[in-house]
Structure formats: structure tokens, C-alpha cells
Amino acid sequence: MPDQKATAIAHPNIAFIKYWGNRDDELRLPANPSLSMNLGDLHTTTTVVFDESLEGDEVTIDGQPAPEAARARASAHLDLVRHRAGVRTSARVVSRNNFPTGAGIASSASGFAALTVAACAAAGLKLAEPGLSALARRGSGSASRSVPGGYTEWLMGLGNASSFARSVAPTDHWDLRDVVVVVSREHKAVGSSRGHGLAVSSPLHTARLGAVPAMLEACKRALLARDLRAMGPLIEQDAVVMHAVMMTSRPALYYWTPATMAVIQAIQGWRAEGLPVYFTIDAGPNVHLICEAAHAPTVERQARALPGVLEILVSGPGGPARLVDTHLF
Ligand code: DP6
């Protein structure tokens, strides 16, 4: 087994049509297809080496040894790579995010996409993009969408090999911005992985699943036509319906705070004044404002003035997960 070091970069993504609920938790086969944009200004860099001298996997994130739960999750993912590659050695993993953890940007998507690409290369396992995306999905569902570049669609698939994400439009297709309005840095009480398992307990989940395919097709059409006025209402509706599922699960998941609602209400006013901007919200209270690049400075300035806003991050579209030559150790 070659003592080969490999490093990959991957971007997080923001979903326009969300992934919520699995039809198979173990394989992370989603209950519905989803559609997203990679966030090119934010990235995770991860270096992996399989090293005979290690007694177990060592994982460092942003300069600190990973907490045991995160280390175990990475290690389970490395097991999948080892199994496929026929490797038995433990790995050293060093990972760094260029965005603050706890700022409401899930690092699991970029983290597992980068880990997958780096670990496969370090293990000498050559997979094409769909295979890498399907494998990244096993670590974190949304990581499947961070493997291909630009705007991506994660297909439900029939099983493990066919549930992967593919690019529907390249990075330069449309100069959109995600203006992330951070209203809380608190660690969420219930993370996505547990949340997905609760979706079935909501009476609204089945209704959402019935509506998603047509909404995704309409959203994709609007995306391909660069028509934000058509796409915006669809992304808002899906985000709110997903949160309705969360709020009506047992136990109920309430991710919104008064500051979340204040941003939603404010942008309705901005839109009435002619500013084309739409919101989406992941499993947390922070609000992602989606607009075209030309409007991003105004959106950012107006958002900064709202009550309860702690920080704003802005990102344009981003490319695929990829290998790079510079290692972190
Ligand atoms: C609300 O991909 O973070 O952000 O597979 O358990 O890691 P795990 O879940 P994750 O779920 C993302 C949920 C979401 C919607 C989305 O990004 O599609």
C-alpha cells in the first residue's frame, strides 16, 4: 500500500430544493431529490495519508483534535474507502475550513466531499465523479452535491450506486450570491442526521414529498433560464414547507428564532420596493438570501442594519471537489 498523501478542496452548498428525510438511513438514500449551488468563496481543505505506523485514525479539524463523535464519523467513512480500496491501514486526516464553524454553514457537505476525494486518491482508489458523489453521500447526504461543480442535482436513484449528484449548470452559468445572515452561532440542539429520522413523524412530510418533484423541475427550469423571479418563490416555499415538517415532527424541531422571522419580514419589504432577493433556511436559524451579484452589496448593507444580525458571509457559485498539490502537513 503506497504511503501516499492526497489533498482535496471542496465547497459547501446551499440547497434551493432541500433534502429532508431518508428512505434508508444507513445508506443515506434520500426521501426526495434536491438541487443546490456550491458556495465558491467558502471551502474545506483536507489532507489524508494512510500510515502503517498509526494505531487508529487521527482527525484534526481547524487545528484541534476532532471531538470523538466527529472522529468516529470520519473514521466510519474512511472504513468505506478502505473496504473499496482493499486498504487496512489507519489514516491521518487534517482538515481546515476557511469559514467559521458555528456560523451556520454546514461544514459536513464540504468536509465529507473533500474527505472522500482526498481519501480515495490517498488509497489509490480511482472513481469517476458519480462514484465519488455516491460515496460522499454516505458521510453526509448533502456532501454528494458538493462533489460536482456549479449547480447540482442529487438524484434519488434506485439504490446506493445510482443516488449521486450531477452538475445541471456550470459555475459560470449564473452569477448568483448567497448572502448568509448569521443570527445565531449556537450549536443546534438537534443536528440534521437526527432530524432526517424525525421527518416521517410529521403528517406534512408525505405532502412535501408529493410536491417536491414538480417543484424541483420548475426550479431547475428557472435556474437554467436565469429567472430569479420564477425561482425565488419556489425556493422560499420549499424551505418553509421543510421547516413546517420540522416544526410538526415528534419531537418538534423549531430552528427559527425571532431574528429569523425579522429577516424574512424585512426582505418582503425590500422586494416590494423592487429589490429581487429571496430566502432559504437550512436546519438552523440563519437566513440565506439569494440574489444576483449586482444586488448583493445592497442586500448585504440592508441586512447588516437588521436587529439581531451577528455576521454576514457572502459567496458566489463554486466549482467541484478537486485534488490540489499543496498538503496541510
Ligand atoms: C436542511 O446533509 O447535513 O441542510 O446526511 O445527516 O449529514 P446528514 O444531513 P445533511 O442535511 C442537510 C439538510 C438541509 C437541507 C439540504 O442541504 O438539502
Side-chain angles (χ1 to χ4, degrees), residues 18 20-21 31-32 196 198-213 215 237-250 252-254 256:
K18 306 293 190 185
W20 197 246
N32 67 274
H196 288 295
L198 298 179
V200 288
S201 68
S202 163
L204 304 184
H205 182 54
T206 324
R208 174 170 183 266
L209 296 184
V212 160
M215 284 182 70
Q237 189 179 35
D238 185 55
V240 175
V241 174
M242 178 186 73
H243 279 272
V245 171
M246 293 162 161
M247 291 178 203
T248 51
S249 297
R250 281 197 281 179
L253 301 176
Y254 293 100
W256 294 9

Side-chain angles (χ1 to χ4, degrees), residues 15 18-19 28 73 108 140-142 145 192-193 196 242 282-283:
K18 306 293 190 185
Y19 150 50
R28 281 191 160 84
R73 191 168 166 185
S108 67
S140 174
S142 54
R145 298 190 308 245
S192 307
S193 298
H196 288 295
M242 178 186 73
D282 280 344

Side-chain angles (χ1 to χ4, degrees), residues 14 17 31 40 61-62 78 85 103 127 142 166 195 212 238 245 248 258 280 300 307 318:
I14 182 68
I17 299 294
I61 302 174
D62 289 330
L78 289 165
L127 296 178
S142 54
R166 62 176 181 205
V212 160
D238 185 55
V245 171
T248 51
T280 184
E300 187 182 347

